[in-house]
Amino acid sequence: MSIGFVMKKILEKLNPLVIKKLNKFFSETFLVDSTEINYGHSTRFGILFEAMWGYYMKEELQTLGYMVKWICKNQYNDFYISDLIGNFICNIEVKTLCLDSDESKSHFDALESELLDTDLLFVSAWKWDVIGDYMKPKVTISKFFMSKEIAVMRDDLHILRGGSFICGEPINSSGYRERLSGPDQHRPNKITHMANFGGLVRMLGTKSKESKLKLTEYYDNGGTCKEYIDFVRYVKE
């Protein structure tokens, strides 16, 4: 059993208490006038959630001899976990999905080659609870996934939707690069890159018979991919 999988189990055991503390904090300090709600609040909440989740999870992990440290660079990942003397254990990327949004803007677009076998993807779904004239965010479900396994499934489905990879970079079915780091010759005309690759919900999109069969294959094989597919289906309900 890998150290990443072991840490996943530890985090899964601690996370319900962390989410309980988070929801209490949000209900006391993050009330919003219901007339002011717009999509921008979802983005701002994601930033708040990331910071506060790291704070509360750090408190819990310290009691077991671990540390959560924030990665302040604007890159994958958000946190890494070490023991108390600084020995690295795993990375964590934190994402949120708003159940009240028509389309999630959260993306998991790190290349498989950029990921470690121990890396974890942590995704939380949340919604607005109405309290009279005010609303507050409430996390409804959270799950940890092995990042590399999700990336492999994402890439397989990307290809079956007509996409490709050139020099390791995702190219969409129209021949445009999806990431800023993609080949210059595949840059779109009016923007730097398409930025659709790895949408947390959209990455599971299937239209062709082949892509539907591949998604079913991943689901039937169980494990972290099945858990992720179930999570996305919950979000879409």
Side-chain angles (χ1 to χ4, degrees):
M1 187 177 296
S2 72
I3 190 170
F5 188 79
V6 171
M7 182 52 64
K8 177 176 179 286
K9 292 300 182 183
I10 293 173
L11 290 166
E12 288 172 341
K13 185 175 181 180
L14 297 175
N15 196 58
L17 177 58
V18 170
I19 296 301
K20 182 178 180 180
K21 290 181 177 180
L22 272 173
N23 280 331
K24 183 175 186 296
F25 169 79
F26 295 146
S27 68
E28 294 172 347
T29 64
F30 205 64
L31 291 176
V32 179
D33 189 324
S34 60
T35 62
E36 295 181 356
I37 288 298
N38 56 47
Y39 188 78
H41 285 88
S42 300
T43 301
R44 294 170 64 187
F45 174 76
I47 297 171
L48 175 67
F49 176 89
E50 176 186 322
M52 296 309 301
W53 180 85
Y55 172 79
Y56 286 121
M57 183 56 78
K58 180 180 179 180
E59 285 188 333
E60 299 304 318
L61 280 175
Q62 280 181 322
T63 65
L64 300 179
Y66 301 104
M67 287 286 291
V68 174
K69 299 180 181 179
W70 185 44
I71 301 174
C72 60
K73 295 180 180 179
N74 185 24
Q75 65 182 42
Y76 196 89
N77 292 275
D78 295 311
F79 298 98
Y80 73 92
I81 295 178
S82 69
D83 62 24
L84 294 181
I85 60 174
N87 294 314
F88 173 83
I89 296 175
C90 70
N91 293 310
I92 303 177
E93 177 73 3
V94 178
K95 298 292 184 183
T96 58
L97 288 170
C98 180
L99 298 176
D100 299 316
S101 295
D102 293 332
E103 176 69 26
S104 169
K105 298 300 181 183
S106 294
H107 286 74
F108 169 57
D109 63 355
L111 302 180
E112 183 191 350
S113 61
E114 297 171 339
L115 301 170
L116 301 177
D117 291 339
T118 55
D119 282 358
L120 298 174
L121 173 65
F122 175 55
V123 188
S124 294
W126 65 281
K127 65 178 182 178
W128 292 106
D129 270 0
V130 180
I131 311 168
D133 294 332
Y134 293 92
M135 302 173 78
K136 64 177 182 179
K138 180 180 180 180
V139 178
T140 62
I141 186 173
S142 295
K143 292 285 290 184
F144 294 88
F145 308 97
M146 302 305 298
S147 296
K148 207 157 192 177
E149 293 180 40
I150 302 301
V152 171
M153 176 174 64
R154 174 202 65 195
D155 294 354
D156 280 350
L157 293 173
H158 171 72
I159 292 171
L160 290 172
R161 285 194 298 271
S164 62
F165 289 88
I166 296 178
C167 299
E169 289 284 345
I171 307 297
N172 71 10
S173 58
S174 298
Y176 297 125
R177 67 184 185 184
E178 287 285 0
R179 307 198 325 161
L180 183 60
S181 53
D184 287 339
Q185 63 268 35
H186 292 275
R187 175 176 175 166
N189 294 327
K190 297 182 179 180
I191 55 177
T192 59
H193 59 295
M194 299 305 294
N196 292 317
F197 179 71
L200 291 180
V201 174
R202 190 180 296 180
M203 75 161 84
L204 297 185
T206 56
K207 292 184 178 180
S208 68
K209 179 181 178 180
E210 291 77 10
S211 61
K212 293 180 186 297
L213 288 173
K214 177 58 70 173
L215 187 65
T216 299
E217 178 184 325
Y218 273 110
Y219 190 83
D220 291 345
N221 286 339
T224 202
C225 289
K226 178 182 184 298
E227 292 174 355
Y228 187 81
I229 295 168
D230 281 336
F231 186 93
V232 170
R233 287 174 176 171
Y234 165 81
V235 169
K236 294 173 66 177
E237 287 178 353

